Amino acid sequence: MTFAPEQLDRSKADLARLLRDLRKRAGLSGDRLARRCGLSQSTISKIETGRKAPRLTEVEAILRALGVPAELAEDIMSLARIANTEWQGVRASLRRGLEKRQAELAALEASASEFRYFLPAMVTGLLATPDYVRAGLAHSPGDVAPVVARKLERQAVLYDTSKSFTFLLTEQAVRWSVVPPMAMSVQVEHLAAISRLPNVRLGVVPSGVVTGRGPMNTFTVYGTHLATVETFTGRVVFRDSRDIAEHLAIFGMYEDMAIFGSEAGDFLSAVAAEFRRDL
């Protein structure tokens, strides 16, 4: 299935209208349909008015209850999958303000208790030193000082022991020189320090490991309910359980290839020493 970013918001409205029309053609009230498919009447109402993007299991239950033919049901399920996907473009984020994006990320971090970050290219904000954060925002318009402050404030979530974090970095991500050698040495030592937090697992996939599959995108999985994938021009947000399961499977594959614990700590210390030797 392929889609253009502008399809994503439109698909929610299209799906709501289509499901409502199918119910009316079947001669069912919202309450009767709710009883047939085991959902509440308020859920049916929210789905049909576009106030709720339905889960795929809910759409499947509705289509079964309405007796929708298999071919049409397949098309509607494709539309439902798009409706469970959101495109957040970089340009739109810039218009809304980068500080608002930091608030959105903080809300996501508050919404889950288990987090998995796959970082094939560079260090993420939760793991970054102030110098690294500032360098990463160097090409952003306007005054980035408030955004830097919000990024650093968000790092407090790492010390919430009710939450667990697994960070997977490729060796390339560890070594990518976003800042000069001395600052990179401090950054890598910071990774080693964070890896010793009791609720944090930090793994490195060494460059010599034969992976069999290229690390294509940075992605984050929040619990089992949401995954985000980063691109140069924006991010895709997935809520479909099958998309999330696929990202969890990919994460698990790379997790099996990574080094953790004291082995990862020794590796990071060696890389930090290399940066100091480059001075």
Side-chain angles (χ1 to χ4, degrees):
M1 178 183 64
T2 60
F3 55 83
E6 62 269 17
Q7 282 182 271
L8 299 180
D9 287 335
R10 190 174 68 239
S11 68
K12 296 176 185 177
D14 291 343
L15 179 63
R17 183 175 58 255
L18 182 56
L19 292 175
R20 183 174 63 250
D21 289 347
L22 287 170
R23 173 182 61 76
K24 289 181 176 179
R25 288 179 199 171
L28 294 177
S29 66
D31 186 56
R32 285 187 64 195
L33 174 60
R35 289 198 299 272
R36 281 194 181 188
C37 57
L39 299 173
S40 69
Q41 193 277 331
S42 64
T43 296
I44 295 295
S45 176
K46 289 175 183 177
I47 290 171
E48 290 187 354
T49 55
R51 287 178 290 156
K52 178 186 189 305
R55 295 191 297 270
L56 267 68
T57 53
E58 292 172 332
V59 177
E60 288 172 343
I62 290 170
L63 296 179
R64 281 197 303 270
L66 294 173
V68 175
E71 187 174 344
L72 176 57
E74 185 177 343
D75 289 341
I76 295 172
M77 289 304 298
S78 294
L79 185 62
R81 192 173 185 194
I82 296 175
N84 276 269
T85 305
E86 179 184 350
W87 169 254
Q88 298 176 348
V90 167
R91 294 183 186 87
S93 292
L94 290 174
R95 285 195 300 270
R96 289 186 294 112
L98 293 176
E99 283 185 82
K100 184 167 184 179
R101 174 60 186 160
Q102 294 306 305
E104 291 168 350
L105 287 171
L108 281 176
E109 289 153 5
S111 72
S113 59
E114 186 174 9
F115 305 83
R116 298 173 179 87
Y117 295 79
F118 181 61
L119 307 166
M122 60 186 294
V123 171
T124 190
L126 287 183
L127 303 176
T129 61
D131 282 346
Y132 198 101
V133 170
R134 280 189 288 271
L137 292 168
H139 300 289
S140 301
D143 179 14
V144 298
V147 185
V148 172
R150 289 291 288 122
K151 276 181 170 281
L152 297 176
E153 287 171 9
R154 282 179 42 230
Q155 295 178 359
V157 75
L158 294 174
Y159 300 88
D160 181 349
T161 55
S162 69
K163 299 178 184 292
S164 64
F165 299 84
T166 303
F167 297 94
L168 285 184
L169 298 93
T170 64
E171 182 174 339
Q172 173 66 30
V174 173
R175 293 182 179 275
W176 191 263
S177 295
V178 173
V179 290
M182 189 62 215
M184 280 302 300
S185 175
V186 174
Q187 172 62 71
V188 177
E189 288 174 338
H190 184 60
L191 293 178
I194 289 176
S195 73
R196 292 191 285 272
L197 292 175
N199 57 325
V200 173
R201 293 180 71 236
L202 191 149
V204 179
V205 181
S207 59
V209 172
V210 178
T211 62
R213 183 171 188 174
M216 296 179 65
N217 297 97
T218 294
F219 66 83
T220 305
V221 183
Y222 298 86
T224 57
H225 66 279
L226 188 143
T228 63
V229 177
E230 303 286 335
T231 74
F232 275 112
T233 55
R235 65 190 60 82
V236 184
V237 181
F238 294 102
R239 293 182 176 85
D240 177 0
S241 59
R242 291 177 296 184
D243 290 320
I244 295 167
E246 178 66 16
H247 282 89
L248 287 173
I250 294 169
F251 191 92
M253 179 188 72
Y254 286 113
E255 190 174 14
D256 289 342
M257 301 173 185
I259 55 175
F260 288 91
S262 60
E263 189 177 2
D266 291 345
F267 172 84
L268 293 170
S269 296
V271 173
E274 287 179 30
F275 277 117
R276 289 193 295 272
R277 285 198 297 271
D278 289 340
L279 294 173

